């Protein structure tokens, strides 16, 4: 989550305490917006949405181009139109909400933070 770092843009092999299920993948969190729940530099498991919209209140991986962000999926009333619109909220109050843009997409739903893993 965040912009990919040069050293982390390629697949790495790691050993987990359980196999990944179909549609699951791993992201490294780069940033503090979801602290304290999900600490900076954590490895997390995310499950592909398969095109289905996650429930409000889910933590989602949102992608705009090569950038990912991890946030709570919520909504707000648009002050101009009065219509409900999606919004992505951090758990850390020091960070601002993110309003999804056209062309961006929710690519996955947070499953868990990996506590036990090792490089293979």
């Amino acid at each position: 989550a965040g912009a990919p770092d040069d050293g982390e843009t390629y697949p790495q092999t790691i050993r987990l305490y359980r196999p990944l299920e179909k549609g699951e993948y791993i992201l490294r969190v780069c940033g503090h917006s979801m602290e304290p729940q999900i600490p900076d530099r954590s490895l997390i498991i995310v499950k592909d949405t398969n095109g289905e919209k996650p429930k409000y209140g889910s933590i989602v991986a949102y992608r705009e181009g090569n950038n990912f962000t991890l946030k709570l999926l919520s909504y707000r009333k648009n002050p101009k139109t009065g219509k409900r619109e999606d919004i992505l909220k951090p758990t850390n109050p020091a960070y601002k909400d993110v309003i999804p843009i056209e062309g961006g997409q929710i690519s996955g739903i947070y499953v868990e933070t990996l506590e036990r893993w090792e490089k293979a």
Side-chain angles (χ1 to χ4, degrees), residues 87-100:
I87 193 163
L88 302 168
K89 301 179 89 43
T91 56
N92 184 337
Y95 290 81
K96 295 181 180 180
D97 295 345
V98 174
I99 298 171

Side-chain angles (χ1 to χ4, degrees), residues 11 39 47 49 52 55 59 75 78 84 88 93 104 110-111 114 120:
K47 185 165 184 121
T49 63
E52 295 182 26
K55 295 178 184 177
I59 297 175
Y75 62 89
N78 183 305
R84 185 165 84 171
L88 302 168
Y110 168 83
V111 175
L114 290 172

Side-chain angles (χ1 to χ4, degrees), residues 12 20-21:
Q12 294 181 353
L20 291 176
E21 295 178 11

Side-chain angles (χ1 to χ4, degrees), residues 11-43:
Q12 294 181 353
T13 303
I14 62 173
R15 288 190 186 98
L16 305 177
Y17 69 97
R18 70 164 178 91
L20 291 176
E21 295 178 11
K22 184 177 180 179
E24 289 184 336
Y25 56 96
I26 296 173
L27 289 176
R28 179 175 299 279
V29 175
C30 299
H32 304 276
S33 69
M34 293 303 286
E35 290 182 341
Q37 184 175 359
I38 304 171
D40 180 38
R41 309 302 296 162
S42 296
L43 287 180

